[in-house]
Amino acid sequence: MKRRTGKADLQQAPVTFAKGVDERFQASTPLRALLNKVFPDHWSFLLGEIALFSFIILLLTGVFLTLFFDPSMTETAYQGAYPALRGTEMSQAYASSLHLSFEVRGGLFMRQMHHWAALLFMAAIVVHMARIFFTGAYRKPREINWVIGMALFLLGFLAGFTGYSLPDDGLSGTGLRIASAIMLSIPVVGTWVSASIFGGEFPGHLIIGRFYIAHVLLIPGGLLALISVHLGLVFKQKHTQWPGPMRTNTNVVGERMFPRYALKQGGFFMAVFGTVALLAGLFQINPIWLFGPYRAAEVSSASQPDWYVMFMDGLVRLMPNWQIYIGDYSIPPLFWPAVVGLGFFTTAPMAWPWLEARKTGDKRIHNLLERPRDNPERTGIGAMAFTFFIVATISGANDVIADKFHISLNAMTWGGRIGLIVLPALAYYLSVRICLGLQQHDREVLAHGVETGIIRRLPNGQFVEVHQPLGPVDDHGHPLPLEYGGWVVPKKMNRVGALGPAVKGFFYPVEKPSEAPVSPGMPPVSGDTREEITSGRK
Amino acid sequence: MTSDTPARRRLRVFSRRRGVPSRARRRLGAAVRMLAALALAGGVYTAFAPGAFADEPKQLSATAQEGKQLYDNSCISCHGRDGQGVEDRGPSLIGVGSASVEFQVGTGRMPMTRQEAQAEQKKPQFDKNQVKQLGQYIQELGGGPQLPAGELVENLEDNPEAIARGGELFRVNCTSCHGFGGGGGALSSGKFAPALHDATPEEMYAAMLSGPQNMPVFGDNQLTPEEKREIITYITLQLQEDKDPGGLFNLGRYGPSTEGVAIFLVGITLLVFTSLWIAGKS
């Protein structure tokens, strides 16, 4: 400002710019708070980000797809590039999906990216949810965020199903047919529900248009809103952190938002984007051209929903055919797994944080996580729930498994039925035992020290193992008991400094390995002082 | 029923008009009627029944003779003498035709390793020539469907629509068991529809004609020979040519089940390692 020469002062430019911005928008105080916000750092805190980034990829690729997709069920004779369907009567929606796949440059890649990103979105939600559950991150004050997370899974489920239905290929139609059957199975209102969604009898000529607007506007809008609230709450309530040195229930130890955390997140977004692109380029997904246009008379073996719906399909497959008759009315067996089961298993877990707090009487605020082993009860219940989910999901593909592994399909069904009841209980028992065992081992190390692997023989002939105490010792050399902190306890001597730290570097060492300490009395054996061992003869 | 129902009355009226015949006459009449009925039944039977057994051993051609030798060595224990079948072991082969033999023996399904839900495809026990001989023997034994001569795959230059029509017919008739991608599928109790990845046109045609294992028969009145050739055209030129524009790996074309495995094994695994790497950088 002082020197008004012909040349602009480049060094001063950012300063003047930022000053200008702040004078107009008063942004510096909130921005400083934001950029200085501290995030704890642990790999497992990045799982939710995979879902967030997949959602961004879904929005980007989805916008591309809408440019070419025509959500109309008008019949047309296909005249496009794919020879094996040329001349076939099909809906405009299917024809435009084929056009998108075969004639639009990069269209198939974008479609595959969209589908893989959808699978990844749901997978990341489930893996993230597992992390939240097993570490107790949902406890007060974060219960509402747990509920929102479950709602996000449900919305994602609906987004996935509507998207699966849009291309109007054989597999989509089979899925819609099942959805319509599920609606029809609801007592009293079923017929009306189905008729109002399909605009009359299945399949009608409205459903693709209706699902389209749900898929591209309503559900993404809901997802976007819920994701904003979800992240806003994480911001407001601050991230949980693992217990450990310097970490308490009232502080946050980690990295500032800017530059480290933002850089890492930017890099991670690139990694997620790259992974989705890699999947889309290498692995063929949903080859709609093989499925043909949807005809009610055509169905394929191995018709499955996408993986996150498969648990419901599995429950349907495992349900015995118990039809309940009440007078002139009947409740089909489909109702129980598909309506009651789906409704229960996606909404009941929302109440879990309050149920647990009620049972334990714990009303305190928790900002420190618990390791799964430190709450065996919860870990057992989580293992139980996931075992149930996995058995149901596997049963959703039981025909493919039966065929490829040469198992009888009936055996798979019965295995699923029995497994659904027996395995969760077994998983509960095993995980509780494993948690207690791991805890016990940690406590042992705290009480006695690290096992050194050195065996000492006492004068009376007894053998004892020498332990390295982790803390101070009493007059007899026995370690003083250390408090159990719920965090990693060193179990090996090289964790307490017996060996130098590992050499850093991913593919090649980025630093010179430190020299091993040399005892003056025992010089290291070097190559030239060794004598070759021979037989003695020359 | 009481005696004065209208039917009884009518009967009485009928017999009264004729007069009561003597006992001997009634017996003679019964014998004559019986003879006539027997003659009629026998005549109808001889007129319509296949006369395959009448003078079968003499008619066998040289090829069939060779086939009979093979049959008597390898097949007779389950299918019995002259292909009549053995209860609880093997069905009768009368009328199955050479198409059936060429499929079952040519793909190694017969002879079976053991009795189970369904014969597995394995390395054929007989060479092509021997399969032909066996087929000829069974054909001459009891007739049945035969593979037609000529090309079984349509030429797409002459008939470009064959592949689309074949695809349509494939989806209507075949996918419910063999799957959209022709990868096969499970049936009840250990039975299955095999994958079509390595099926030859002859095998597919023979299978449609003869309905092997648990497959239904698609006779020429259900799928005309032309329609069969179109289906084969679609399978060989579209499904088997591995035209997977979507990537290097088609995940077996088993649909969402393998895609679900892939998203966890590849997607989630890669990204968990990435997050370990990113979080480990400090």
Side-chain angles (χ1 to χ4, degrees):
Chain A
M1 293 296 236
K2 281 175 250 165
R3 294 169 291 144
R4 277 279 173 199
T5 51
K7 234 169 101 181
D9 190 350
L10 277 178
Q11 271 195 329
Q12 208 59 26
V15 179
T16 43
F17 176 75
K19 201 174 169 196
V21 168
D22 191 45
E23 279 167 357
R24 287 169 181 83
F25 304 109
Q26 288 82 43
S28 71
T29 311
L31 211 59
R32 184 180 295 127
L34 180 73
L35 296 184
N36 283 340
K37 196 172 174 59
V38 170
F39 286 89
D41 199 16
H42 189 262
W43 68 269
S44 68
F45 300 165
L46 293 172
L47 298 173
E49 267 86 348
I50 301 178
L52 175 68
F53 299 149
S54 313
F55 183 69
I56 295 172
I57 298 169
L58 281 169
L59 292 181
L60 295 175
T61 52
V63 168
F64 179 89
L65 298 183
T66 56
L67 302 180
F68 302 97
F69 179 69
D70 175 9
S72 144
M73 290 175 90
T74 319
E75 285 284 305
T76 170
Y78 180 69
Q79 293 302 341
Y82 184 65
L85 283 171
R86 218 169 277 156
T88 310
E89 286 283 318
M90 58 179 66
S91 70
Q92 196 59 45
Y94 185 52
S96 65
S97 306
L98 290 173
H99 171 75
L100 170 65
S101 304
F102 291 117
E103 281 142 287
V104 175
R105 187 171 294 243
L108 180 58
F109 181 66
M110 289 301 242
R111 230 198 77 224
Q112 299 206 133
M113 261 188 94
H114 193 71
H115 205 137
W116 280 119
L119 295 194
L120 186 65
F121 178 64
M122 296 304 283
I125 285 181
V126 170
V127 176
H128 172 61
M129 197 196 75
R131 199 280 293 174
I132 298 290
F133 184 87
F134 286 113
T135 60
Y138 55 80
R139 289 174 298 171
K140 189 179 174 185
R142 298 182 179 79
E143 302 100 325
I144 293 297
N145 238 8
W146 167 262
V147 174
I148 292 173
M150 293 299 302
L152 279 169
F153 177 84
L154 252 179
L155 268 186
F157 182 99
L158 290 178
F161 181 72
T162 48
Y164 176 92
S165 306
L166 284 184
D168 202 23
D169 57 88
L171 197 59
S172 303
T174 308
L176 273 176
R177 171 82 269 193
I178 294 168
S180 125
I182 290 171
M183 292 171 205
L184 288 172
S185 78
I186 305 172
V188 187
V189 295
T191 326
W192 302 103
V193 171
S194 170
S196 53
I197 287 180
F198 287 92
E201 185 51 69
F202 172 87
H205 55 276
L206 295 174
I207 191 68
I208 299 292
R210 287 182 174 182
F211 269 28
Y212 181 67
I213 207 67
H215 183 76
V216 304
L217 181 73
L218 302 178
I219 300 172
L223 280 170
L224 206 56
L226 282 184
I227 288 174
S228 309
V229 178
H230 198 71
L231 293 180
L233 280 176
V234 171
F235 237 78
K236 180 76 194 69
Q237 298 175 331
K238 301 191 180 65
H239 207 289
T240 49
Q241 62 183 351
W242 288 108
M246 312 298 287
R247 294 169 185 175
T248 69
N249 206 24
T250 49
N251 71 358
V252 182
V253 179
E255 298 170 335
R256 285 181 200 281
M257 171 84 149
F258 196 83
R260 293 192 59 94
Y261 188 74
L263 275 175
K264 280 187 173 187
Q265 292 296 307
F268 196 42
F269 175 69
M270 300 296 167
V272 174
F273 201 98
T275 305
V276 172
L278 199 72
L279 281 165
L282 289 180
F283 297 94
Q284 174 170 284
I285 188 166
N286 201 23
I288 50 166
W289 51 90
L290 290 177
F291 304 155
Y294 178 62
R295 304 273 160 77
E298 294 169 14
V299 71
S300 169
S301 65
S303 284
Q304 263 104 17
D306 277 340
W307 76 266
Y308 45 87
V309 187
M310 228 178 253
F311 77 98
M312 187 206 75
D313 202 57
L315 291 178
V316 171
R317 290 174 188 214
L318 297 184
M319 179 73 194
N321 59 342
W322 295 334
Q323 182 119 355
I324 298 172
Y325 293 96
I326 305 162
D328 287 343
Y329 299 96
S330 71
I331 305 175
L334 177 64
F335 175 68
W336 303 110
V339 181
V340 177
L342 181 68
F344 180 79
F345 293 122
T346 50
T347 54
M350 289 181 179
W352 172 255
W354 290 281
L355 288 178
E356 194 197 48
R358 197 191 161 96
K359 185 172 174 283
T360 55
D362 185 355
K363 305 275 186 229
R364 285 168 302 158
I365 284 186
H366 294 278
N367 291 320
L368 283 180
L369 299 172
E370 276 181 312
R371 288 186 303 167
R373 71 183 66 172
D374 294 330
N375 198 328
E377 217 37 17
R378 175 198 296 144
T379 308
I381 286 172
M384 202 161 94
F386 270 92
T387 309
F388 186 90
F389 181 74
I390 290 167
V391 172
T393 302
I394 288 175
S395 296
N398 61 6
D399 57 333
V400 177
I401 296 168
D403 186 41
K404 298 310 154 201
F405 293 97
H406 297 258
I407 306 166
S408 159
L409 183 55
N410 305 41
M412 280 298 296
T413 306
W414 274 104
R417 283 172 180 168
I418 296 166
L420 209 55
I421 293 164
V422 172
L423 291 181
L426 194 68
Y428 176 84
Y429 176 76
L430 285 179
S431 46
V432 167
R433 295 312 307 175
I434 290 170
C435 286
L436 290 175
L438 288 170
Q439 233 184 78
Q440 180 67 21
H441 192 213
D442 282 0
R443 289 179 197 280
E444 250 171 47
V445 173
L446 288 174
H448 304 297
V450 182
E451 295 176 348
T452 57
I454 300 167
I455 307 288
R456 177 186 288 162
R457 192 177 184 194
L458 300 183
N460 62 5
Q462 185 191 356
F463 288 99
V464 291
E465 187 182 1
V466 179
H467 283 76
Q468 169 66 50
L470 288 176
V473 290
D474 63 13
D475 298 341
H476 303 283
H478 295 299
L480 294 170
L482 293 167
E483 203 192 335
Y484 186 82
W487 189 232
V488 179
V489 169
K491 300 268 175 77
K492 286 181 182 154
M493 284 303 285
N494 55 358
R495 295 275 176 203
V496 289
L499 283 178
V503 177
K504 282 195 174 166
F506 199 72
F507 289 113
Y508 52 89
V510 294
E511 59 178 17
K512 207 169 172 291
S514 56
E515 292 291 326
V518 179
S519 159
M522 294 277 284
V525 183
S526 56
D528 45 271
T529 56
R530 273 192 200 153
E531 251 177 60
E532 199 187 343
I533 299 169
T534 60
S535 62
R537 286 186 222 156
K538 291 275 170 177
Chain B
M1 225 187 261
T2 51
S3 61
D4 51 13
T5 58
R8 275 286 178 99
R9 233 180 293 144
R10 217 182 301 133
L11 203 70
R12 220 185 294 133
V13 168
F14 180 68
S15 48
R16 200 179 287 155
R17 202 183 288 163
R18 275 281 199 82
V20 184
S22 73
R23 198 179 171 197
R25 205 173 151 180
R26 264 187 286 141
R27 284 203 168 167
L28 187 69
V32 168
R33 279 197 294 276
M34 176 61 101
L35 264 178
L38 280 176
L40 185 67
V44 168
Y45 177 77
T46 37
F48 287 101
F53 297 101
D55 40 7
E56 158 257 314
K58 278 165 255 162
Q59 279 191 345
L60 285 185
S61 62
T63 323
Q65 285 286 1
E66 300 275 338
K68 184 171 163 46
Q69 291 269 309
L70 294 169
Y71 180 91
D72 288 346
N73 282 336
S74 301
C75 320
I76 198 163
S77 56
C78 293
H79 291 293
R81 284 193 55 205
D82 300 329
Q84 292 173 56
V86 178
E87 209 170 318
D88 294 334
R89 253 193 262 166
S92 163
L93 299 182
I94 303 303
V96 301
S98 65
S100 179
V101 177
E102 281 177 37
F103 178 83
Q104 303 272 13
V105 183
T107 60
R109 284 178 169 82
M110 291 289 154
M112 257 174 128
T113 316
R114 56 183 169 271
Q115 295 283 350
E116 55 188 333
Q118 188 169 326
E120 296 272 353
Q121 182 173 11
K122 56 184 180 293
K123 199 171 156 284
Q125 301 292 301
F126 297 101
D127 62 30
K128 275 210 156 109
N129 195 30
Q130 289 171 317
V131 172
K132 283 261 178 259
Q133 292 165 348
L134 268 172
Q136 187 63 29
Y137 171 60
I138 296 299
Q139 188 65 35
E140 291 184 16
L141 206 57
Q146 280 174 290
L147 274 183
E151 194 58 49
L152 296 177
V153 181
E154 296 278 339
N155 188 344
L156 285 186
E157 280 171 20
D158 306 338
N159 189 0
E161 284 140 33
I163 196 162
R165 273 207 304 272
E168 178 84 52
L169 289 165
F170 179 76
R171 287 190 295 274
V172 172
N173 295 289
C174 316
T175 52
S176 54
C177 299
H178 290 288
F180 282 129
L187 304 173
S188 61
S189 304
K191 298 168 203 154
F192 60 93
L196 302 174
H197 301 319
D198 55 353
T200 65
E202 287 76 25
E203 286 166 11
M204 288 187 272
Y205 202 102
M208 283 189 265
L209 266 185
S210 62
Q213 312 285 340
N214 293 291
M215 182 165 158
V217 174
F218 293 91
D220 283 350
N221 51 353
Q222 281 153 310
L223 289 172
T224 63
E226 197 198 351
E227 288 173 332
K228 287 198 182 77
R229 284 200 300 274
E230 284 168 353
I231 291 179
I232 291 171
T233 307
Y234 177 74
I235 297 172
T236 43
L237 298 184
Q238 191 63 44
L239 293 185
Q240 292 183 348
E241 292 271 292
D242 230 25
K243 286 177 183 162
D244 288 311
L248 289 179
F249 306 103
N250 61 14
L251 300 175
R253 297 201 199 113
Y254 297 136
S257 48
T258 44
E259 292 161 9
V261 172
I263 197 63
F264 280 94
L265 283 189
V266 182
I268 289 290
T269 307
L270 262 178
L271 287 172
V272 163
F273 275 106
T274 312
S275 61
L276 275 166
W277 178 58
I278 286 183
K281 289 271 158 197
S282 53

